[in-house]
Amino acid sequence: MAGEQKELTLEPLGAWLGYAKDPIIEQILAKFLCAKNKEVEEFLHEPAIEFERSSSARTYLIATEDKEIAGYFTISIGFADISQSKNLSKKDKDTLKMSKCPDHRIPCFLIGQLGRSDSFSHEELPGSQILEKALAVLVEVKNQIGGKFVIVECEDPLIPMYQSAAFGFRLFNTPNKKRKYNQLYRAL
């Protein structure tokens, strides 16, 4: 791809499933490789179609015209547990809480997966651009059905990108016995 900039479009996985049989889509998804994060790679190879079909989550593909997947993200409804957070002030907790929801079950949007293919460089598709696309989809959803905030779960090296002024996520939970990743939130 050196020297050649391919136009990328955002396409719901559900739309792809509507015009091709699952085995064909599985072959396309299997070409997505992400050496930096095998979990991101394996999600697209294995449960993405199942999650889509069961309406457990929605996956959006960033792809070329010839269906080469440059990146993707998966969004769903989640729950944030702020009850044990040492990183939130009382004011922050009150802002996040919804009426009659306990601190350990606050409904929110979740960006569950976000990744770029090894076939595309940071210059061709920055991770921040994938995140911008995910947030834009979630703002549309929020405007239609409501909602207050979104959370992401990530390893330590990604915290600065999410906390940057461009995105404004705030750390509220760190890994523990029950939780493998850091959790960050931001209002929509």
Side-chain angles (χ1 to χ4, degrees), residues 81-87 93 103-104 172-173 176 179:
D81 180 352
I82 62 171
S83 62
Q84 303 299 313
S85 178
K86 295 176 176 83
N87 297 309
K93 286 183 180 183
D103 284 357
H104 64 280
F172 72 95
N173 281 326
N176 63 25
R179 188 177 34 262

PDB file of all heavy atoms in Angstrom, residues 81-87 93 103-104 172-173 176 179:
ATOM      1  N   ASP A  81     -19.405   0.088  37.092  1.00  0.00           N
ATOM      2  CA  ASP A  81     -19.396  -0.055  38.546  1.00  0.00           C
ATOM      3  C   ASP A  81     -18.502   1.038  39.111  1.00  0.00           C
ATOM      4  O   ASP A  81     -17.280   0.967  39.008  1.00  0.00           O
ATOM      5  CB  ASP A  81     -18.877  -1.436  38.943  1.00  0.00           C
ATOM      6  CG  ASP A  81     -18.850  -1.650  40.446  1.00  0.00           C
ATOM      7  OD1 ASP A  81     -19.092  -0.682  41.221  1.00  0.00           O
ATOM      8  OD2 ASP A  81     -18.570  -2.782  40.860  1.00  0.00           O
ATOM      9  N   ILE A  82     -19.134   2.061  39.682  1.00  0.00           N
ATOM     10  CA  ILE A  82     -18.354   3.164  40.249  1.00  0.00           C
ATOM     11  C   ILE A  82     -18.286   3.087  41.763  1.00  0.00           C
ATOM     12  O   ILE A  82     -17.712   3.951  42.412  1.00  0.00           O
ATOM     13  CB  ILE A  82     -18.902   4.543  39.813  1.00  0.00           C
ATOM     14  CG1 ILE A  82     -20.331   4.747  40.310  1.00  0.00           C
ATOM     15  CG2 ILE A  82     -18.810   4.687  38.299  1.00  0.00           C
ATOM     16  CD1 ILE A  82     -20.857   6.165  40.098  1.00  0.00           C
ATOM     17  N   SER A  83     -18.848   2.035  42.339  1.00  0.00           N
ATOM     18  CA  SER A  83     -18.958   1.947  43.793  1.00  0.00           C
ATOM     19  C   SER A  83     -17.609   1.913  44.498  1.00  0.00           C
ATOM     20  O   SER A  83     -17.480   2.432  45.605  1.00  0.00           O
ATOM     21  CB  SER A  83     -19.785   0.719  44.193  1.00  0.00           C
ATOM     22  OG  SER A  83     -19.153  -0.469  43.754  1.00  0.00           O
ATOM     23  N   GLN A  84     -16.602   1.301  43.898  1.00  0.00           N
ATOM     24  CA  GLN A  84     -15.288   1.184  44.533  1.00  0.00           C
ATOM     25  C   GLN A  84     -14.236   2.109  43.917  1.00  0.00           C
ATOM     26  O   GLN A  84     -13.062   2.019  44.251  1.00  0.00           O
ATOM     27  CB  GLN A  84     -14.793  -0.261  44.438  1.00  0.00           C
ATOM     28  CG  GLN A  84     -15.733  -1.281  45.059  1.00  0.00           C
ATOM     29  CD  GLN A  84     -15.950  -1.043  46.545  1.00  0.00           C
ATOM     30  OE1 GLN A  84     -15.008  -0.830  47.279  1.00  0.00           O
ATOM     31  NE2 GLN A  84     -17.205  -1.062  46.980  1.00  0.00           N
ATOM     32  N   SER A  85     -14.645   2.979  43.011  1.00  0.00           N
ATOM     33  CA  SER A  85     -13.686   3.835  42.325  1.00  0.00           C
ATOM     34  C   SER A  85     -13.058   4.844  43.272  1.00  0.00           C
ATOM     35  O   SER A  85     -13.747   5.603  43.946  1.00  0.00           O
ATOM     36  CB  SER A  85     -14.362   4.586  41.176  1.00  0.00           C
ATOM     37  OG  SER A  85     -13.427   5.434  40.565  1.00  0.00           O
ATOM     38  N   LYS A  86     -11.738   4.847  43.299  1.00  0.00           N
ATOM     39  CA  LYS A  86     -11.004   5.813  44.106  1.00  0.00           C
ATOM     40  C   LYS A  86     -10.636   7.038  43.270  1.00  0.00           C
ATOM     41  O   LYS A  86     -10.098   8.007  43.772  1.00  0.00           O
ATOM     42  CB  LYS A  86      -9.734   5.151  44.667  1.00  0.00           C
ATOM     43  CG  LYS A  86     -10.041   4.036  45.640  1.00  0.00           C
ATOM     44  CD  LYS A  86      -8.768   3.345  46.095  1.00  0.00           C
ATOM     45  CE  LYS A  86      -9.048   2.295  47.127  1.00  0.00           C
ATOM     46  NZ  LYS A  86      -9.460   1.024  46.612  1.00  0.00           N
ATOM     47  N   ASN A  87     -10.922   6.965  41.967  1.00  0.00           N
ATOM     48  CA  ASN A  87     -10.531   8.043  41.052  1.00  0.00           C
ATOM     49  C   ASN A  87     -11.663   9.022  40.767  1.00  0.00           C
ATOM     50  O   ASN A  87     -11.480   9.947  39.989  1.00  0.00           O
ATOM     51  CB  ASN A  87     -10.037   7.449  39.732  1.00  0.00           C
ATOM     52  CG  ASN A  87      -8.805   6.606  39.926  1.00  0.00           C
ATOM     53  OD1 ASN A  87      -7.844   7.050  40.533  1.00  0.00           O
ATOM     54  ND2 ASN A  87      -8.827   5.380  39.433  1.00  0.00           N
ATOM     55  N   LYS A  93     -19.309  11.051  40.744  1.00  0.00           N
ATOM     56  CA  LYS A  93     -20.220   9.908  40.919  1.00  0.00           C
ATOM     57  C   LYS A  93     -21.669  10.343  40.770  1.00  0.00           C
ATOM     58  O   LYS A  93     -22.466   9.664  40.129  1.00  0.00           O
ATOM     59  CB  LYS A  93     -19.993   9.239  42.276  1.00  0.00           C
ATOM     60  CG  LYS A  93     -18.729   8.414  42.342  1.00  0.00           C
ATOM     61  CD  LYS A  93     -18.596   7.707  43.684  1.00  0.00           C
ATOM     62  CE  LYS A  93     -17.333   6.877  43.728  1.00  0.00           C
ATOM     63  NZ  LYS A  93     -17.212   6.126  44.983  1.00  0.00           N
ATOM     64  N   ASP A 103     -24.839   2.172  42.549  1.00  0.00           N
ATOM     65  CA  ASP A 103     -23.511   2.563  42.066  1.00  0.00           C
ATOM     66  C   ASP A 103     -22.796   1.467  41.289  1.00  0.00           C
ATOM     67  O   ASP A 103     -21.892   1.746  40.518  1.00  0.00           O
ATOM     68  CB  ASP A 103     -22.606   2.962  43.237  1.00  0.00           C
ATOM     69  CG  ASP A 103     -22.932   4.326  43.788  1.00  0.00           C
ATOM     70  OD1 ASP A 103     -23.823   4.991  43.243  1.00  0.00           O
ATOM     71  OD2 ASP A 103     -22.292   4.717  44.776  1.00  0.00           O
ATOM     72  N   HIS A 104     -23.163   0.233  41.499  1.00  0.00           N
ATOM     73  CA  HIS A 104     -22.452  -0.858  40.828  1.00  0.00           C
ATOM     74  C   HIS A 104     -23.141  -1.326  39.545  1.00  0.00           C
ATOM     75  O   HIS A 104     -22.694  -2.276  38.929  1.00  0.00           O
ATOM     76  CB  HIS A 104     -22.255  -2.033  41.797  1.00  0.00           C
ATOM     77  CG  HIS A 104     -23.529  -2.660  42.254  1.00  0.00           C
ATOM     78  ND1 HIS A 104     -24.288  -2.116  43.252  1.00  0.00           N
ATOM     79  CD2 HIS A 104     -24.167  -3.763  41.827  1.00  0.00           C
ATOM     80  CE1 HIS A 104     -25.364  -2.876  43.427  1.00  0.00           C
ATOM     81  NE2 HIS A 104     -25.310  -3.872  42.575  1.00  0.00           N
ATOM     82  N   PHE A 172     -11.519   5.669  35.856  1.00  0.00           N
ATOM     83  CA  PHE A 172     -12.309   5.506  37.076  1.00  0.00           C
ATOM     84  C   PHE A 172     -12.097   4.161  37.758  1.00  0.00           C
ATOM     85  O   PHE A 172     -12.413   4.010  38.933  1.00  0.00           O
ATOM     86  CB  PHE A 172     -13.803   5.770  36.844  1.00  0.00           C
ATOM     87  CG  PHE A 172     -14.546   4.720  36.060  1.00  0.00           C
ATOM     88  CD1 PHE A 172     -15.249   3.706  36.695  1.00  0.00           C
ATOM     89  CD2 PHE A 172     -14.562   4.771  34.675  1.00  0.00           C
ATOM     90  CE1 PHE A 172     -15.947   2.757  35.976  1.00  0.00           C
ATOM     91  CE2 PHE A 172     -15.259   3.822  33.946  1.00  0.00           C
ATOM     92  CZ  PHE A 172     -15.951   2.818  34.597  1.00  0.00           C
ATOM     93  N   ASN A 173     -11.586   3.180  37.073  1.00  0.00           N
ATOM     94  CA  ASN A 173     -11.266   1.899  37.698  1.00  0.00           C
ATOM     95  C   ASN A 173      -9.975   1.345  37.095  1.00  0.00           C
ATOM     96  O   ASN A 173      -9.736   1.481  35.892  1.00  0.00           O
ATOM     97  CB  ASN A 173     -12.384   0.871  37.498  1.00  0.00           C
ATOM     98  CG  ASN A 173     -13.549   1.059  38.436  1.00  0.00           C
ATOM     99  OD1 ASN A 173     -13.372   1.464  39.583  1.00  0.00           O
ATOM    100  ND2 ASN A 173     -14.753   0.780  37.965  1.00  0.00           N
ATOM    101  N   ASN A 176      -8.154  -5.258  38.793  1.00  0.00           N
ATOM    102  CA  ASN A 176      -8.167  -5.937  40.090  1.00  0.00           C
ATOM    103  C   ASN A 176      -8.481  -7.415  39.853  1.00  0.00           C
ATOM    104  O   ASN A 176      -8.418  -7.880  38.715  1.00  0.00           O
ATOM    105  CB  ASN A 176      -9.169  -5.272  41.057  1.00  0.00           C
ATOM    106  CG  ASN A 176     -10.604  -5.364  40.569  1.00  0.00           C
ATOM    107  OD1 ASN A 176     -10.972  -6.250  39.804  1.00  0.00           O
ATOM    108  ND2 ASN A 176     -11.425  -4.438  41.013  1.00  0.00           N
ATOM    109  N   ARG A 179     -11.399  -7.574  37.404  1.00  0.00           N
ATOM    110  CA  ARG A 179     -11.336  -6.751  36.199  1.00  0.00           C
ATOM    111  C   ARG A 179      -9.923  -6.786  35.629  1.00  0.00           C
ATOM    112  O   ARG A 179      -8.962  -6.447  36.299  1.00  0.00           O
ATOM    113  CB  ARG A 179     -11.748  -5.325  36.559  1.00  0.00           C
ATOM    114  CG  ARG A 179     -11.907  -4.396  35.425  1.00  0.00           C
ATOM    115  CD  ARG A 179     -12.402  -2.994  35.830  1.00  0.00           C
ATOM    116  NE  ARG A 179     -11.945  -2.516  37.115  1.00  0.00           N
ATOM    117  CZ  ARG A 179     -12.643  -2.571  38.247  1.00  0.00           C
ATOM    118  NH1 ARG A 179     -13.848  -3.070  38.262  1.00  0.00           N
ATOM    119  NH2 ARG A 179     -12.141  -2.117  39.384  1.00  0.00           N
TER     120      ARG A 179
END
